Amino acid sequence: MASESKSALRPFGMKDKLGYMFGDFGNDFTFILSSLFLMKFYTDVMGVSAGVVGIVMMAARIVDAFTDITMGQIVDRCKPTKDGKFRPWLKRMCGPVAIASFLIFQSGLAGMPYGFKVAWLAVTYILWGSIFYTSINIPYGSMASAVSPESKDRAELSTWRTIGSSLASLVIGVGTPMIAYVTVDGKTMLSGSRMTIIAGVFSVCAILCYLLCFKMVQERVQLTTKSEKLDLGKLVKSIATNRSLMGIIAAALMLLLSQLTMSGMSSYVYPNYYGSAAAQSLSSLVGMAGTLLICAPTAVKLSQKFGKKELATAGAIVGAVSYLLCFLLRPSNPFVFVAFAAVATISMGYFNTVVWAMITDVIDDTEVRTGVREDGTVYSVYSFARKLGQAISSGLIGALLTMVGYSEATAFDPAVTGKIFNLACLAPFAGFVALALILVFLYPLNKTRVEQNVATLAARREGKEN
């Protein structure tokens, strides 16, 4: 690379994988906290209606349409420093993203006027997700292409990224309900003051994880720095005609819509329908432990044998079947519901484990077809799709909860909680079915084509070096 001599570069190894793991650990200290508890915090603690929260979160994605693509263009055009092309952004932006996340969960403002609370949510949420999170997540995700040119290494980075996400899910999904919920008059309720403290602790942890990623990961591949002027029309046309990119965008949108609706509804189905915060913690524990112990050790081997697309499709089908059975059987025991949810989480864990390697496959496919490599741009478009999925799921949860009549006053009404159970099963079921159809009919990068692209690019680069 321009910033480091080749002799100074150590071989790709465990230090890189652990460092990349810490990067997503840092991301998810704020991302998963928002996904799991922001809606619950603002409906139950701040007294804002679920519909309004959903609208605010969806509106923020309009901002993302500009900030994500802009950040992708910045990354593609920025010149490498002594620390590399992508790594410096981790150090620059870790503080702002952590502070913004903490500001979202300020229970001390619960007594303020309704309009002020909605405005506070909108401003802090946009600062966190649309600006600061974007400015660290897009360089972090794009960095995988610069860490190693080898497909197997990138698949391992994707696996370790998923391990980081799973560890964060364990800490947040298991630990937070055990601390944040209190029993008041026999009802399981979220404590606002505890959530504020938890958000502060997680923000500090996010900063530490980002800095570990910065220190441990090394960039080895010198990627082309774009210099031509941005042509927005050409960019939009390039995205719209890129079938592999459109396929992974649609898949990401449906994956996030399914999973975040599933996890978002867990904050209502466990404490309100089943009256068990412990079951919510156990659900996160079992699902994430299964991802770590089953998916992570086997995903690379299975994807090499069958293909990433094929593995992800199978996971989506199993997840859909699990939630359909749960809806039909309607278990009265919360721990039986936990078992069904765990099967779906683990089966989808395979997609989550290889999806980041699928992004590099899309980047490779784009380079094969066009001769231009745009890591930052492709990743920023994918990142926007993920955040759009997050926002739509929040908006969907808010709309559905409003539709069934959920409010502070009806939170434990059996007629309302029964409908919440239905939503908790049928929403992810529909999402997983749609995801499987997208992967089969829209996303074109099967095992054979990925291998052909890798061989084509290797031959091109070898020809340039000779």
Side-chain angles (χ1 to χ4, degrees):
M1 322 181 32
S3 58
E4 297 180 65
S5 66
K6 288 189 176 182
S7 60
L9 297 175
R10 54 179 166 75
F12 175 84
M14 182 57 70
K15 190 173 182 180
D16 295 283
K17 290 182 275 191
L18 287 173
Y20 207 68
M21 176 198 75
F22 278 118
D24 208 55
F25 208 156
N27 270 346
D28 285 333
F29 266 121
T30 62
F31 184 83
I32 293 179
L33 182 68
S34 171
S35 300
L36 289 179
F37 293 101
L38 190 146
M39 176 72 74
K40 185 74 171 176
F41 179 81
Y42 271 87
T43 55
D44 291 17
V45 175
M46 304 296 280
V48 179
S49 76
V52 170
V53 177
I55 289 171
V56 169
M57 297 177 76
M58 291 182 69
R61 299 293 76 85
I62 298 175
V63 179
D64 284 349
F66 299 95
T67 59
D68 280 23
I69 302 300
T70 299
M71 193 63 207
Q73 291 292 308
I74 291 172
V75 168
D76 281 338
R77 284 170 168 76
C78 70
K79 295 181 179 179
T81 69
K82 65 181 179 62
D83 295 319
K85 183 180 176 72
F86 305 104
R87 289 169 60 216
W89 292 98
L90 298 172
K91 188 165 62 173
R92 291 168 189 159
M93 303 309 301
C94 62
V97 73
I99 292 170
S101 175
F102 172 62
L103 290 176
I104 294 173
F105 294 91
Q106 295 302 304
S107 61
L109 301 177
M112 298 295 287
Y114 193 87
F116 177 89
K117 290 184 289 188
V118 173
W120 181 267
L121 168 63
V123 171
T124 56
Y125 185 73
I126 288 172
L127 279 175
W128 166 72
S130 302
I131 300 175
F132 298 138
Y133 184 84
T134 289
S135 65
I136 201 169
N137 181 53
I138 288 173
Y140 164 73
S142 304
M143 185 169 62
S145 296
V147 176
S148 173
E150 301 297 328
S151 178
K152 181 177 181 297
D153 294 343
R154 293 174 180 179
E156 290 183 345
L157 285 176
S158 182
T159 296
W160 281 92
R161 178 172 183 166
T162 302
I163 291 173
S165 175
S166 298
L167 290 173
S169 295
L170 283 173
V171 173
I172 299 167
V174 176
T176 302
M178 296 174 65
I179 299 171
Y181 284 102
V182 294
T183 301
V184 180
D185 297 329
K187 297 178 180 178
T188 304
M189 304 182 73
L190 189 70
S191 167
S193 59
R194 292 188 181 187
M195 275 301 303
T196 300
I197 294 171
I198 290 168
V201 172
F202 287 166
S203 290
V204 173
C205 292
I207 292 174
L208 294 175
C209 287
Y210 284 133
L211 293 177
L212 283 170
C213 180
F214 173 81
K215 287 289 185 183
M216 298 174 72
V217 175
Q218 202 163 40
E219 296 182 24
R220 296 171 179 80
V221 182
Q222 185 174 357
L223 301 175
T224 304
T225 299
K226 290 180 66 177
S227 57
E228 69 272 17
K229 198 172 182 180
L230 174 62
D231 185 333
L232 187 58
K234 182 179 178 182
L235 175 63
V236 172
K237 182 179 178 181
S238 173
I239 293 170
T241 56
N242 188 334
R243 186 182 169 194
S244 60
L245 178 57
M246 294 303 293
I248 201 67
I249 286 173
L253 189 61
M254 203 51 61
L255 172 68
L256 267 293
L257 187 59
S258 303
Q259 287 198 308
L260 294 179
T261 301
M262 180 173 68
S263 61
M265 290 305 302
S266 72
S267 294
Y268 296 90
V269 72
Y270 288 116
N272 297 82
Y273 180 76
Y274 285 113
S276 177
Q280 184 178 355
S281 290
L282 181 64
S283 178
S284 296
L285 175 62
V286 174
M288 292 304 102
T291 300
L292 287 170
L293 299 176
I294 298 173
C295 301
T298 60
V300 173
K301 290 182 179 178
L302 289 174
S303 64
Q304 286 180 319
K305 183 175 182 180
F306 299 106
K308 303 182 193 76
K309 167 183 174 174
E310 294 80 357
L311 183 62
T313 303
I317 293 171
V318 173
V321 171
S322 180
Y323 269 107
L324 179 60
L325 289 174
C326 187
F327 173 74
L328 294 175
L329 295 175
R330 206 175 187 86
S332 58
N333 188 312
F335 299 104
V336 177
F337 188 94
V338 167
F340 282 111
V343 170
T345 300
I346 294 169
S347 65
M348 287 310 304
Y350 280 109
F351 190 5
N352 279 321
T353 301
V354 301
V355 68
W356 307 109
M358 293 171 76
I359 298 303
T360 58
D361 291 342
V362 171
I363 294 169
D364 286 349
D365 185 65
T366 303
E367 185 179 3
V368 167
R369 292 186 304 102
T370 67
V372 178
R373 191 168 187 90
E374 297 180 305
D375 299 77
T377 300
V378 170
Y379 188 83
S380 67
V381 173
Y382 175 73
S383 175
F384 171 65
R386 283 179 59 84
K387 288 200 284 187
L388 187 61
Q390 181 193 19
I392 294 175
S393 71
S394 299
L396 179 63
I397 292 170
L400 292 175
L401 288 172
T402 300
M403 185 179 69
V404 301
Y406 181 88
S407 67
E408 288 182 271
T410 64
F412 296 92
D413 185 333
V416 172
T417 57
K419 293 175 182 177
I420 287 175
F421 173 88
N422 294 341
L423 295 177
C425 294
L426 294 180
F429 162 73
F432 289 144
V433 169
L435 174 59
L437 293 174
I438 288 168
L439 288 169
V440 170
F441 296 107
L442 184 58
Y443 182 69
L445 301 186
N446 56 26
K447 183 175 184 290
T448 301
R449 183 160 165 182
V450 168
E451 290 174 347
Q452 289 173 345
N453 285 343
V454 170
T456 299
L457 292 178
R460 286 183 187 177
R461 287 169 184 148
E462 185 178 344
K464 287 180 180 180
E465 292 176 1
N466 291 339

